């Protein structure tokens, strides 16, 4: 039986009172590749922060404004405006972290490398190439940051001030079906020497494993496949302003079709923290190829 790809949770509070009752259900749904939807969980902007909802604050060469260990990047803001941006991003990261601790206690000590983004551009207004076009169904994979089978856990919140401006997503079929469709077409073999060289010259932050190599090809094949992008299998979902949603974006095929003004928080989660590691993309691909894919 196929599970519905979206599961609703009636939380209103990021500190998630009473959540232990939901936690098992939430973690099971997440690891099965479902999108957890919190229709009543909005993020409150301070009055002075509403002026930050302006695409002109994003650096012209960047899609998003980001907060990572190195501070805020991707913005032209300076001085007090930059401090305001920093405060907003930090507050969102902290609230998302509180929620994840309540919902997924088994990831608490394992999740790492938080990255927060403020997405001010309307979908479709910033897309230098098909590879960066958010309107094409994809599973996430990072060209310069090999993840060695770790999971990409993401929290999203629509912060559009107009209550009618949904963030319209397509949520695609289960990961295994996508993998079965595309694996026979992934024809560029992984070459360990090439992976080592790319790392040595700084193209990648560490060596690509065969898993990273397959996921990148999968990402590119899906995005490039016009027939799949026009006639694939997906569910259309509109995430309303004042709502949040969570998924493993390495597992859930997704596309953002329209919308503007969103906050997003990413953490990496090791495979060893999964309750159901056999459902993770790396284990699915290993089963389908009959090979171990994590040798660096
Ligand atoms: C993404 O991060 O994959 C795009 C999702 C969105 O911008 O809504």
């Amino acid at each position: 039986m196929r599970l519905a790809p979206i599961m609703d949770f009636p939380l209103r509070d990021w500190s998630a009172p009473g959540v232990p009752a939901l936690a098992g259900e939430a973690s099971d749904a997440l690891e099965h590749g479902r999108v957890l939807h919190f229709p009543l969980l909005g993020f409150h902007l301070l009055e002075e922060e509403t002026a930050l909802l302006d695409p002109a604050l994003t650096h012209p060469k960047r899609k998003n404004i980001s907060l990572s260990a190195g501070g805020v990047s991707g913005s032209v803001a300076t001085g007090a405006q930059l401090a305001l941006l920093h405060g907003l991003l930090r507050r969102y990261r902290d609230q998302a972290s509180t929620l994840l601790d309540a919902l997924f206690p088994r990831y608490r000590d394992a999740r790492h490398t938080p990255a927060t983004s403020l997405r001010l551009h309307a979908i479709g207004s910033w897309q230098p190439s098909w590879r960066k076009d958010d309107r094409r169904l994809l599973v996430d994979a990072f060209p310069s940051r090999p993840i060695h089978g770790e999971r990409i856990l993401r929290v999203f919140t629509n912060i559009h001030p107009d209550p009618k401006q949904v963030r319209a997503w397509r949520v695609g079929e289960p990961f295994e079906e996508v993998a079965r469709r595309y694996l026979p077409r992934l024809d560029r073999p992984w070459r360990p020497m090439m992976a080592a060289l790319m790392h040595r010259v700084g193209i990648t932050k560490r060596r690509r494993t065969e898993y990273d190599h397959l996921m990148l090809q999968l990402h590119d094949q899906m995005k490039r496949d016009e027939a799949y992008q026009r006639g694939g299998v997906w569910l259309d979902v509109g995430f309303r302003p004042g709502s949040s949603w969570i998924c493993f974006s390495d597992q859930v095929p997704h596309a953002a079709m329209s919308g503007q003004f969103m906050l997003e928080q990413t953490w990496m989660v090791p495979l060893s923290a999964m309750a159901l590691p056999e459902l993770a993309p790396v284990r699915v691909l290993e089963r389908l190829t009959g090979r171990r894919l994590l040798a660096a």
Side-chain angles (χ1 to χ4, degrees), residues 33-65:
R34 301 171 82 184
V35 177
L36 313 191
H37 178 212
F38 303 87
L40 307 174
L41 190 62
F43 180 77
H44 177 70
L45 291 188
L46 306 176
E47 199 178 324
E48 60 272 27
E49 289 170 343
T50 57
L52 299 175
L53 297 184
D54 176 358
L57 284 182
T58 310
H59 189 283
K61 293 211 162 108
R62 296 283 295 272
K63 186 163 84 166
N64 306 315
I65 298 172

Side-chain angles (χ1 to χ4, degrees), residues 63-64 117 119 123 134-135 138 140 154 156 167-169 239 245 249 254-258 262 264:
K63 186 163 84 166
N64 306 315
S117 66
R119 302 176 179 210
I123 295 290
D134 290 324
R135 294 169 299 183
L138 65 110
D140 281 343
R154 291 198 143 147
F156 304 88
R167 193 140 190 120
W169 267 35
F239 296 110
W245 58 106
S249 64
H254 60 285
M257 305 310 291
S258 66
M262 189 181 76
E264 175 271 341

Side-chain angles (χ1 to χ4, degrees), residues 246-267:
I246 301 178
C247 68
F248 275 129
S249 64
D250 53 328
Q251 180 177 16
V252 176
H254 60 285
M257 305 310 291
S258 66
Q260 189 174 11
F261 303 134
M262 189 181 76
L263 280 160
E264 175 271 341
Q265 176 65 46
T266 300
W267 272 277

